[in-house]
Amino acid sequence: MKNIIKLSVLSLLLGVGITSCDLDRYPENSIASEMSLTSVSDASKWNTGFIASFRARLYGEMAMNPDKQADQLNPSCDFGNRSGEIHGWVNFNSDENEIATAWSNLYKGLINPNFFIANHKNIQVEEKDRDEMNMYIADAHFVRAYYYSELALRFGSPYKAATASQDLCVPLVLKYDIYDKPARATNEVIYGQIFADLEQADKLFASIGDSKLKTKLQGKAQSNIFTRDAISALKARTYLYMSEWQKAYAEAAKLIASKRYPLIKPDLKAMEAMWRNDESSEEIMMMSISRPDELPNSIAYFGASSIKEKKKKYPVCSPDWLPTQWMIDLFDAKDLRKNIYFDASQMTFYGGYKYKGLTVISKFKGNPLYAANTTDQAWGIIPNSVIAPKAFRIAETYLIAAEAAYKLNDEANAKKYLNALRKSRGLADVTVSGDALFQEIKDERTRELAFEGFRLWDLRRWGMPMERHDHQTLKGNYDFLTKDFLNTKIPANHYKMVWAIPYRDLQTNPNLKGQQNPGW
């Protein structure tokens, strides 16, 4: 019986399939796998699918769920216990949807690149198409590396070089086989695979002969394709999580030194353009989106509503999640990000009551170009939190360089990279040393990457506890918050900072028996 592989709706719309195929023989939404990849034209359509699939695994709950578990957010009284278990920690178990969905989405993402890598050699490629084909193969290796880096981050044992050959990570799946039930591989194997894929992608990009294509694939600001610079950014990020300081520093410093991604000028309009209009020089890779069919996941913290306060016609927000007062206060008044990341001008409605002046998260307010409602009488444009996903930002790279330099006892370069970023954000230089300098690096990372899904993993690798700090109040009142979780304190290195292998996978895969993460 022929093996059938389901392709994405996008790929089907783009015409993946062979005209000679007898459509009566196959389901309308599927084609035989051996018929789906027979030409460079087919490969192009698969590549479009890789990019769309990659975009679908950015932002949304992939970023929000780790942050809901961490210390930057408080739930409103109307949040309906959505993600209450992950936020509350105590009842957060291995059968939670947040765990299962992340695991499933990432492994599903591996299906197409795995199939492509295993079967692209069946295509007869003419010399004139060699560069194009090599680009598609490189992209498949890149996305596979990215998905494994995300799986390892969430579900694998935190990387330690001394025990990497024994510490369990995640199952290694390199071929499409619906009957396969793999056990967990070690950190040594999974991280080895990540870097093997990245090296292969980089080698293929470097082999491109066409000069224009080669330049494009090196990378430029706001690239919406995979590039060699995106490879460097992912390497730097992964080395940081591995505490491989020398390698992290080398990759980050190289990328910064290219000067292809200059930090924006310390100007509020430039900061606003970055986060409201998707316009800046800092984006190493930013996904292409368009209405109505090519929209991304959103980080929906702003909570804009068409409800209006009757007397004064105030536009209002009613988000499920609010920033803690501690998080708001971490930003100096001169910090250009503060006016972009937070908005205190909205009228909010909770529990049938109205609160004026409550601070909401507006970092992901949304690009007006992608607003669904553009004619509301109060708002004009109702923001819907849709912006182009910023897969890799040079700001993160500066922070990696600063932290890695500090860990290498190179305080001069740690300050150089840290202060370059601070200057761009309207802040004065840091002059402290030692532990105080490391605290400044951590605080700057917390500010710059706020609400982008990094905080939980940073607490874990810094060996810090998760403490819900000061929450917002209005004249001493905080009835707008759910009070159950305001004082949650979780000790450093708590076992739930590594997510469980999903319960359903443990039940259906006998080879995972005895391989659950400790404590779950």
Side-chain angles (χ1 to χ4, degrees):
M1 184 175 183
K2 291 181 182 290
N3 182 28
I4 305 296
I5 182 168
K6 294 197 175 210
L7 303 177
S8 68
V9 172
L10 174 63
S11 296
L12 290 168
L13 290 173
L14 289 169
V16 173
I18 309 302
T19 56
S20 62
C21 179
D22 181 354
L23 295 181
D24 292 334
R25 296 179 58 196
Y26 303 107
E28 292 182 0
N29 65 340
S30 303
I31 60 177
S33 57
E34 66 268 28
M35 300 181 70
S36 68
L37 189 59
T38 62
S39 68
V40 176
S41 177
D42 289 341
S44 173
K45 296 175 178 66
W46 277 76
N47 184 257
T48 301
F50 295 156
I51 295 173
S53 178
F54 178 79
R55 183 183 62 201
R57 285 157 178 80
L58 300 173
Y59 282 22
E61 296 304 312
M62 293 295 289
M64 294 173 70
N65 284 332
D67 278 347
K68 291 172 186 176
Q69 192 178 348
D71 57 1
Q72 299 174 320
L73 302 168
N74 292 132
S76 77
C77 62
D78 287 348
F79 90 121
N81 203 40
R82 288 177 285 273
S83 299
E85 287 78 13
I86 193 172
H87 184 71
W89 285 76
V90 174
N91 295 319
F92 180 39
N93 299 315
S94 64
D95 61 352
E96 297 300 338
N97 183 63
E98 289 87 349
I99 284 178
T101 299
W103 175 277
S104 176
N105 282 346
L106 290 166
Y107 271 108
K108 285 179 180 177
L110 287 167
I111 293 174
N112 282 359
N114 276 343
F115 180 86
F116 188 92
I117 291 168
N119 293 278
H120 70 81
K121 293 180 181 179
N122 296 331
I123 298 174
Q124 296 295 319
V125 182
E126 296 183 23
E127 192 58 35
K128 66 182 180 62
D129 297 322
R130 177 58 58 190
D131 282 350
E132 181 183 357
M133 192 64 195
N134 281 345
M135 179 180 68
Y136 299 150
I137 301 167
D139 287 357
H141 282 282
F142 179 88
V143 293
R144 184 163 73 180
Y146 178 84
Y147 296 148
Y148 270 116
S149 72
E150 290 292 304
L151 283 163
L153 180 64
R154 286 162 170 74
F155 302 101
S157 305
Y159 187 90
K160 297 177 182 176
T163 56
S165 62
Q166 291 86 41
D167 294 336
L168 293 179
C169 195
V170 295
L172 180 64
V173 180
L174 298 179
K175 64 179 181 178
Y176 179 73
D177 182 352
I178 61 174
Y179 302 107
D180 192 24
K181 297 184 185 298
R184 293 174 70 180
T186 64
N187 274 341
E188 182 177 69
V189 169
I190 295 298
Y191 282 91
Q193 183 63 50
I194 290 169
F195 287 105
D197 275 326
L198 291 177
E199 291 298 337
Q200 181 64 13
D202 195 55
K203 180 180 178 181
L204 287 164
F205 282 148
S207 74
I208 300 297
D210 182 274
S211 59
K212 289 185 178 179
L213 182 58
K214 193 181 191 74
T215 299
K216 184 178 180 180
L217 292 173
Q218 179 61 60
K220 65 177 182 178
Q222 299 191 346
S223 287
N224 59 9
I225 60 173
F226 305 118
T227 64
R228 299 186 75 186
D229 287 345
I231 291 172
S232 289
L234 181 53
K235 281 183 177 181
R237 180 188 292 177
T238 306
Y239 283 134
L240 179 80
Y241 287 125
M242 297 170 70
S243 299
E244 292 279 3
W245 305 117
Q246 190 65 59
K247 293 177 180 178
Y249 180 80
E251 289 293 341
K254 177 183 69 174
L255 194 50
I256 294 167
S258 75
K259 298 183 179 180
R260 285 186 285 272
Y261 309 95
L263 293 167
I264 61 172
K265 295 180 180 179
D267 179 84
L268 185 59
K269 289 184 178 180
M271 184 65 63
E272 185 174 19
M274 182 191 303
W275 291 106
R276 299 287 182 270
N277 306 110
D278 298 322
E279 296 174 357
S280 90
S281 58
E282 295 190 10
E283 317 312 331
I284 299 168
M285 185 178 183
M286 186 172 75
M287 308 310 296
S288 177
I289 66 174
S290 64
R291 291 180 60 190
D293 298 323
E294 294 294 311
L295 293 176
N297 297 316
S298 63
I299 299 182
Y301 288 134
F302 189 60
S305 171
S306 59
I307 301 170
K308 306 171 190 68
E309 202 279 327
K310 293 181 180 178
K311 292 183 180 179
K312 297 185 179 181
K313 303 294 184 184
Y314 285 113
V316 304
C317 290
S318 298
D320 282 353
W321 300 88
L322 294 165
T324 64
Q325 189 63 48
W326 165 78
M327 191 64 197
I328 298 166
D329 293 343
L330 194 62
F331 290 77
D332 187 273
K334 295 180 180 179
D335 194 323
L336 297 172
R337 294 167 295 197
K338 191 165 190 176
N339 289 324
I340 303 300
Y341 287 14
F342 304 106
D343 192 331
S345 66
Q346 311 306 322
M347 181 72 76
T348 54
F349 281 77
Y350 290 120
Y353 297 94
K354 60 185 179 183
Y355 303 87
K356 185 179 180 181
L358 195 61
T359 298
V360 298
I361 298 167
S362 57
K363 183 176 185 178
F364 305 98
K365 187 176 183 178
N367 188 328
L369 290 176
Y370 310 115
N373 189 330
T374 60
T375 59
D376 183 78
Q377 292 180 353
W379 277 103
I381 294 175
I382 299 181
N384 62 356
S385 296
V386 174
I387 63 173
K390 297 162 175 55
F392 299 101
R393 304 199 290 120
I394 198 67
E396 179 193 354
T397 311
Y398 273 85
L399 291 163
I400 292 171
E403 184 172 347
Y406 175 82
K407 290 292 187 178
L408 293 168
N409 298 314
D410 183 358
E411 290 197 356
N413 276 317
K415 292 177 187 178
K416 180 181 79 171
Y417 292 114
L418 176 64
N419 287 331
L421 180 61
R422 286 174 59 85
K423 182 179 180 180
S424 172
R425 278 38 178 170
L427 299 174
D429 285 354
V430 163
T431 59
V432 295
S433 299
D435 291 344
L437 174 58
F438 188 40
Q439 187 61 52
E440 291 285 357
I441 292 170
K442 291 189 290 185
D443 286 348
E444 196 59 42
R445 183 176 173 90
T446 302
R447 284 187 286 264
E448 178 64 32
L449 304 180
F451 317 119
E452 295 184 51
F454 291 92
R455 180 62 174 172
L456 181 67
W457 320 124
D458 287 339
L459 290 174
R460 184 178 71 191
R461 66 190 186 79
W462 289 331
M464 293 176 60
M466 195 298 298
E467 297 185 38
R468 297 271 154 69
H469 303 281
D470 299 339
H471 56 78
Q472 292 188 61
T473 63
L474 291 176
K475 297 181 180 179
N477 171 42
Y478 54 98
D479 289 343
F480 49 82
L481 294 176
T482 294
K483 298 177 173 60
D484 295 345
F485 314 115
L486 296 181
N487 299 312
T488 303
K489 294 183 179 181
I490 303 298
N493 301 313
H494 190 275
Y495 71 88
K496 288 186 179 179
M497 287 187 179
V498 178
W499 284 2
I501 305 302
Y503 175 79
R504 68 186 184 191
D505 285 81
L506 290 173
Q507 297 303 112
T508 59
N509 182 354
N511 293 317
L512 291 175
K513 184 177 180 180
Q515 292 191 336
Q516 179 61 282
N517 282 320
W520 290 91

